[in-house]
């Protein structure tokens, strides 16, 4: 697996500026998640991350599958939320094309803190099997130091 890279909304907004622009923190999570979904192609085996930001990505992938814009996608879940994406496991698909997940904190060097919950082991296993690992965060997750 290559180094993780960070997808986030293209502009940095303070909470006050977000409110003035009419964008909530959840809106920014959704925007970041949609950027990650643009990397998904038909026929992929996906690692399906956990958390509120990853849920936005899974919802969109599920919508694209139901609409016929994506086909032959299977996902390896790291939680119980799968948004209607057909599921598989690492035994059946030991190589994952793309994993999409969020993070609890990200520093300027893209070091991550993630998986503080019960999904930590499963997340590590799925991400370790991934050719590409995409971390999606909003500005609230960016910190100067872990």
């Amino acid at each position: 697996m290559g180094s993780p890279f960070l997808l986030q909304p293209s502009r940095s907004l303070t909470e006050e500026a977000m409110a003035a622009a009419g964008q909530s923190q959840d809106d920014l999570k959704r925007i970041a998640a949609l950027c990650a979904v643009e990397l998904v192609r038909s026929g992929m085996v996906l690692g399906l991350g956990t958390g509120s930001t990853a849920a936005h990505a899974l919802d969109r992938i599920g919508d694209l599958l139901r609409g016929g814009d994506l086909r032959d996608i299977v996902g390896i879940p790291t939680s119980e939320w799968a948004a209607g994406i057909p599921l598989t496991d690492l035994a059946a698909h030991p190589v994952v094309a793309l994993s999409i997940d969020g993070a609890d904190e990200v520093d300027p060097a893209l070091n991550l803190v993630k998986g503080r919950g019960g999904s930590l082991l499963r997340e590590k296993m799925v991400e370790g099997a991934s050719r590409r690992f995409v971390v999606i965060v909003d500005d609230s997750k960016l910190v100067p130091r872990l």
Side-chain angles (χ1 to χ4, degrees):
M1 176 178 74
S3 299
F5 63 95
L6 181 72
L7 288 179
Q8 65 180 27
S10 60
R11 61 179 192 221
S12 178
L13 297 174
T14 64
E15 289 192 29
E16 184 177 310
M18 285 188 300
Q23 292 184 315
S24 68
Q25 200 70 34
D26 196 57
D27 291 333
L28 292 178
K29 288 180 181 186
R30 187 175 297 106
I31 291 166
L34 295 178
C35 290
V37 172
E38 291 178 14
L39 301 172
V40 176
R41 301 290 178 257
S42 291
M44 282 185 156
V45 176
L46 299 176
L48 308 177
T50 57
S52 59
T53 307
H56 288 301
L58 303 187
D59 287 341
R60 180 64 180 147
I61 293 165
D63 290 344
L64 292 170
L65 281 166
R66 284 186 290 283
D69 296 308
L70 286 175
R71 293 185 243 326
D72 304 318
I73 296 284
V74 292
I76 301 174
T78 61
S79 71
E80 295 182 17
W81 181 250
I85 299 166
L87 300 180
T88 188
D89 58 32
L90 285 172
H93 293 90
V95 177
V96 178
L98 173 69
S99 283
I100 299 173
D101 206 350
D104 296 320
E105 293 183 342
V106 181
D107 74 9
L110 301 183
N111 296 304
L112 311 173
V113 171
K114 57 179 288 38
R116 292 182 183 165
S119 299
L120 178 61
L121 177 60
R122 190 150 178 83
E123 288 175 351
K124 297 273 186 200
M125 291 171 58
V126 171
E127 290 155 9
S130 300
R131 289 187 180 137
R132 193 171 195 188
F133 171 43
V134 177
V135 176
I136 47 178
V137 299
D138 62 82
D139 286 350
S140 71
K141 307 292 183 171
L142 304 177
V143 297
R145 199 175 102 187
L146 297 181

